[in-house]
Amino acid sequence: MTKISVRPIRRDEIGEFAATGTDPKRIDDVTQYVEQMMKQGSIHREWCFVAVQGNRWVGRIAYWTLPKSGKPHAPVLLDLPWEQEQYLSIGAQLLQETLPLMRELGADQIGYVVDTPPMSPQWQRFPQERMKLLDHIGFRVERVTDRFEWQGEKSGLPGTVKLHFRPLPEVGEAAFIEAIMRVSEQTLDRRIRDERQQEGAWTQARLMYTDMQHMTYDPSWWQLAYGKDGELIGLVMPAQNPTYPVIGYIGVVPEQRGRGYIDTLLNQGTVILHRGGADAIRADTDVENSPMARAFRRAGYIRFAKRYEYSLVLR
Ligand SMILES: CC(C)(COP(=O)(O)OP(=O)(O)OC[C@H]1O[C@@H](n2cnc3c(N)ncnc32)[C@H](O)[C@@H]1OP(=O)(O)O)[C@@H](O)C(=O)NCCC(=O)NCCS
């Protein structure tokens, strides 16, 4: 096999990069995604690499982040000659040569998501081959989620109980972090449960709050909900990620679960984003979190995909 080399792309190669390995029907969509991500600072040209064999491009990868984070977070647009056996060795080289560069840029952990079925904007085909490559490199599955989308007026909203909402600027950060810690107790979400065990409940809540701050949001969108006697019921944290408005986090404190309060919280988060101009809102929940999935369905959210969330610690 002719030797493969890996290099970052040049400024005039962005179009070719978007087309490499992309289903020909999707090239415009992928090109638009690359341009939009570069404009928003989620992808930098120096973070886009190609695998070159002779004078042919046989693979590509870009690293993505939330614009305010500053360090690479996860590869996107990974494409390889998936139908040929050599995809595994080319993919391994592409990752093994570029991951250390991401480590130098400050990433101590790298994620990767596989969405099925393939969809805009990445159109990830060949999920089994992707997963085989990730396993081979040492990535581990952290969580599997169902992905939901609310599609504007036509989705409607469930009728809800009245709660008193107080926004972040009024309650302050300490109360908010405390509330994240409370609602995460006995969660059915595997990632949050594992992180609580590793970091401790309060640190996990603080890290989650800090991570969420890397998204775009108005502080008044993040709200705590109280009952009529001033007791804490739960929280909702709507936000905007680089591609979609999302329900970033939502939850009910353990002693208030099973009373349908989640419908009121989800309604509030959906309305906040919808009033801010969103007509499609996305949210993911662990495949084991059936109370949450049922609440999404009641609020008119439609399940559109399954997501495998991988992670690799960089040493
Ligand atoms: C998922 C969650 C928001 C549901 O809120 P809720 O207000 O209890 O929802 P519902 O009133 O519809 O209750 C659904 C049922 O699931 C049960 N349930 C809810 N969470 C549960 C949990 N963590 N473990 C076991 N059972 C749970 C409730 O007791 C209730 O049972 P019932 O119908 O027999 O009374 C809430 O459990 C929660 O905050 N979990 C932790 C945080 C979380 O997972 N957030 C979602 C992240 S995407």
Side-chain angles (χ1 to χ4, degrees):
M1 188 173 99
T2 320
K3 211 167 149 297
I4 306 275
S5 59
V6 172
R7 66 162 176 86
I9 61 165
R10 294 191 310 259
R11 202 173 299 279
D12 60 341
E13 292 177 328
I14 294 170
E16 204 179 332
F17 178 79
T20 299
T22 303
D23 176 346
K25 295 196 292 285
R26 311 296 183 195
I27 290 176
D28 287 350
D29 196 22
V30 174
T31 307
Q32 204 183 348
Y33 171 63
V34 175
E35 284 168 357
Q36 188 198 347
M37 290 302 108
M38 284 189 172
K39 204 161 127 195
Q40 288 183 16
S42 279
I43 296 179
H44 302 281
R45 181 180 53 83
E46 303 77 13
W47 297 6
C48 298
F49 300 89
V50 283
V52 186
Q53 187 172 37
N55 54 11
R56 269 190 332 120
W57 288 12
V58 290
R60 68 153 192 223
I61 194 168
Y63 288 86
W64 175 98
T65 192
L66 288 168
K68 287 190 253 173
S69 140
K71 55 183 182 189
H73 180 72
V76 288
L77 298 169
L78 171 63
D79 260 302
L80 295 166
W82 301 111
E83 284 164 297
Q84 298 165 26
E85 221 176 282
Q86 55 166 355
Y87 85 82
L88 200 58
S89 59
I90 299 175
Q93 186 176 342
L94 195 52
L95 282 161
Q96 279 157 354
E97 289 195 22
T98 55
L99 285 170
L101 306 174
M102 301 304 116
R103 178 82 186 92
E104 279 169 27
L105 292 171
D108 45 18
Q109 192 159 356
I110 281 285
Y112 187 78
V113 297
V114 180
D115 285 343
T116 60
M119 71 196 65
S120 180
Q122 290 196 62
W123 299 104
Q124 296 175 316
R125 297 179 294 161
F126 302 94
Q128 296 310 325
E129 285 76 5
R130 278 173 204 280
M131 293 187 194
K132 194 167 164 194
L133 172 64
L134 294 167
D135 286 343
H136 178 69
I137 299 293
F139 280 81
R140 293 285 165 262
V141 178
E142 270 195 336
R143 182 167 78 149
V144 184
T145 63
D146 283 319
R147 313 203 65 205
F148 288 89
E149 183 173 289
W150 184 81
Q151 297 173 340
E153 305 287 355
K154 73 174 182 211
S155 284
L157 288 165
T160 58
V161 203
K162 209 163 162 34
L163 290 175
H164 178 58
F165 284 93
R166 296 176 65 196
L168 171 62
E170 194 182 311
V171 297
E173 279 196 349
F176 218 96
I177 294 171
E178 172 88 16
I180 294 177
M181 182 176 86
R182 298 279 324 283
V183 305
S184 300
E185 272 172 48
Q186 294 139 35
T187 178
L188 298 172
D189 184 290
R190 176 170 147 194
R191 162 123 51 93
I192 298 174
R193 224 172 33 225
D194 290 351
E195 287 173 357
R196 273 171 75 94
Q197 214 159 29
Q198 283 157 18
E199 311 283 350
W202 189 83
T203 306
Q204 192 280 335
R206 186 179 51 78
L207 290 173
M208 191 167 181
Y209 179 83
T210 316
D211 273 357
M212 296 266 306
Q213 285 180 310
H214 293 142
M215 292 205 257
T216 302
Y217 62 97
D218 185 303
S220 69
W221 292 359
W222 291 5
Q223 301 186 350
L224 299 188
Y226 296 87
K228 60 177 181 343
D229 298 323
E231 69 284 17
L232 179 66
I233 303 285
L235 63 82
V236 63
M237 301 172 81
Q240 169 82 44
N241 84 13
T243 25
Y244 269 93
V246 294
I247 301 293
Y249 195 42
I250 189 163
V252 174
V253 295
E255 65 275 18
Q256 301 289 351
R257 289 180 192 158
R259 297 175 188 174
Y261 286 133
I262 186 60
D263 291 347
T264 311
L265 288 160
L266 187 52
N267 190 340
Q268 183 80 351
T270 306
V271 166
I272 288 169
L273 290 172
H274 187 48
R275 281 203 194 117
D279 49 13
I281 300 168
R282 288 191 168 181
D284 293 356
T285 194
D286 194 304
V287 290
E288 302 293 328
N289 202 344
S290 48
M292 194 62 233
R294 286 200 298 273
F296 280 131
R297 289 197 169 94
R298 285 197 299 274
Y301 284 67
I302 294 161
R303 181 190 175 282
F304 68 95
K306 189 169 184 175
R307 167 168 280 190
Y308 295 83
E309 297 180 352
Y310 281 85
S311 168
L312 175 74
V313 175
L314 300 183
R315 292 174 211 286

